[in-house]
Amino acid sequence: MKALRERSALLLPIGWLLGCSAEVTHVEQFALARQHSCALLDDGAVKCWGFRGAGALGDGNPVGAGFPDFQLSAVSVRGLEGEVRQLAVGETWSCALLRSGAVQCWGAPVGSPLLSVQDRGISPPTTVPGLEANVQSIAANGDAACALKQDGGVWCWGTNSAGQLAAQVGASELPLPVALPLPARLIAVGPVQVCAALVDNSIWCWGVKDPVFFGFLDPPIPYQDPAPVFPGILPNVAWQALAANRDYACGLAPDATVHCWGYVPPVNASDPIDFAPHAMNLGAPVAEVSLGEGYACAILKSGALRCWGNGLALGVANTAPRDCEKSYAACNPGTLITPYGVPEARRVGAGFYTTCAEQLDGEVLCWGENLLGTQGIGTRWDRYQPTPVLGL
């Protein structure tokens, strides 16, 4: 799942921003899905690891019966037709935005029935029809993806299982235009909701009209209405970044504060439950935030890494699955946590109970759940303490 960070950081080499040698390869972006993980390096290369079904890793090796199901270390994606500047990954597929403005995807075709492609993923990466050029950014999650074009138009494709296409249609393997009142500047895709920040600084969302996500609207939005709606009462600021996950979303404001709405994991146990948009109290200016399922991690302007929410993905030394079986309180520390052994980070990515970060010294670590090899640590055993990723 794509990290939320200031757009301006994308315009400068990460080594220059942090005062490190440009000869060292660093992670520019983590993209973590439920079944596999990918990393975009600052030289434009892409590496992936985890479940190999449908060819979502793009390593050029056969998949299906008779071939390994899991890749437990990072491998290079083959066949991309140019340098990559952004990644977006879903259940059994991956997409890359090239510097040329084209979007290429590999694995199960986005929007196709999952069972029919489990053993015949698309490889090598193939350009998405209609997205051959002029794409500014991409985002994805679960079974849907969206592209923001340079003219501000938003185009989405996928199964439309949760209304992510903002239209009363079935699945579409071809991108369809989303009807928004103004051009968009930013997009974010969660498992069941999609949001876009428009040029007037308003944020519009569509997908499942869950009361948790949209319930503070007055009057309430009909559940069946697929059209984008304006959640309202968000600050009117030039949003720097936008991110979404299951039933919650966040925006990064110019003053380095984070504003979230929906079922947001509370930072502190004493925080009141508030589904309406509100500022998160992270204690310091924020440079980057990544949203996982039931938890989130932030890199502060100081470089400090802080996480909160579900303890399985926080990198807490003493958290285990049995804690979550006992109670919510036992699984959620109820405060900001410094992942065990990772006090500072250059990049962070949150996924489906798997988290990855690059330390200041360049070492890449992952932790959390690992049944499908999403940590890339050479094993499928869960490791709740940060462990080095092999091949990065």
Side-chain angles (χ1 to χ4, degrees):
M1 292 160 188
K2 180 183 152 190
L4 178 157
R5 64 176 181 266
E6 292 178 275
R7 297 176 68 210
S8 58
L10 297 176
L11 302 179
L12 297 172
I14 183 64
W16 188 91
L17 286 171
L18 297 173
C20 296
S21 171
E23 298 177 358
V24 178
T25 300
H26 294 288
V27 174
E28 176 67 16
Q29 178 200 348
F30 288 107
L32 310 183
R34 186 190 300 259
Q35 300 189 38
H36 70 290
S37 305
C38 294
L40 170 61
L41 306 183
D42 61 2
D43 62 0
V46 178
K47 291 193 172 186
C48 298
W49 59 95
F51 183 60
R52 302 184 63 251
L57 305 190
D59 59 3
N61 295 317
V63 299
F67 298 99
D69 289 330
F70 306 98
Q71 172 63 42
L72 304 181
S73 62
V75 291
S76 297
V77 174
R78 299 180 182 179
L80 287 162
E81 298 176 354
E83 188 175 326
V84 176
R85 62 188 177 102
Q86 192 180 17
L87 294 178
V89 299
E91 194 76 7
T92 53
W93 46 270
S94 308
C95 294
L97 171 60
L98 307 184
R99 293 203 178 276
S100 65
V103 176
Q104 291 194 303
C105 297
W106 58 98
V110 185
S112 63
L114 178 61
L115 294 179
S116 69
V117 299
Q118 194 65 22
D119 295 334
R120 67 162 185 87
I122 300 300
S123 183
T126 302
T127 301
V128 179
L131 302 180
E132 297 88 354
N134 302 318
V135 176
Q136 177 178 313
S137 64
I138 57 175
N141 203 313
D143 56 7
C146 295
L148 172 61
K149 293 191 174 183
Q150 291 177 357
D151 62 3
V154 175
W155 296 69
C156 298
W157 69 108
T159 66
N160 206 28
S161 61
Q164 301 99 316
L165 307 190
Q168 292 180 331
V169 298
S172 177
E173 295 185 29
L174 299 178
L176 301 177
V178 176
L180 291 165
L182 292 169
R185 294 176 46 250
L186 302 168
I187 54 171
V189 179
V192 293
Q193 285 100 12
V194 182
C195 294
L198 308 188
V199 293
D200 67 348
N201 300 330
S202 65
I203 293 178
W204 291 66
C205 300
W206 59 96
V208 172
K209 301 300 193 300
D210 191 297
V212 169
F213 196 86
F214 293 99
F216 55 86
L217 293 176
D218 188 19
I221 298 299
Y223 184 87
Q224 299 84 0
D225 186 354
V229 296
F230 174 47
I233 64 176
L234 279 159
N236 186 357
V237 298
W239 298 101
Q240 302 298 292
L242 192 64
N245 208 296
R246 188 172 300 277
D247 289 330
Y248 78 110
C250 298
L252 180 61
D255 64 357
T257 60
V258 176
H259 299 256
C260 303
W261 67 97
Y263 193 63
V264 185
V267 172
N268 298 295
S270 59
D271 290 347
I273 300 299
D274 187 359
F275 298 147
H278 60 280
M280 304 297 292
N281 182 17
L282 301 182
V286 176
E288 174 179 332
V289 170
S290 187
L291 309 185
E293 293 227 7
Y295 79 102
C297 290
I299 297 178
L300 307 181
K301 289 280 191 178
S302 65
L305 178 61
R306 299 291 184 267
C307 300
W308 67 98
N310 187 300
L312 288 181
L314 300 189
V316 182
N318 60 353
T319 301
R322 60 179 177 273
D323 296 324
C324 296
E325 295 172 1
K326 295 176 184 177
S327 68
Y328 177 88
C331 185
N332 290 262
T335 186
L336 282 174
I337 293 293
T338 299
Y340 185 79
V342 192
E344 297 178 306
R346 304 170 61 93
R347 287 286 181 262
V348 65
F352 190 79
Y353 303 141
T354 298
T355 311
C356 297
E358 181 188 356
Q359 297 191 113
L360 298 185
D361 63 6
E363 186 172 37
V364 178
L365 308 170
C366 291
W367 60 93
E369 293 190 352
N370 192 36
L371 177 63
L372 300 177
T374 49
Q375 292 182 18
I377 59 175
T379 178
R380 290 172 55 206
W381 290 104
D382 294 340
R383 287 299 301 267
Y384 300 107
Q385 296 182 22
T387 304
V389 177
L390 304 179
L392 282 179

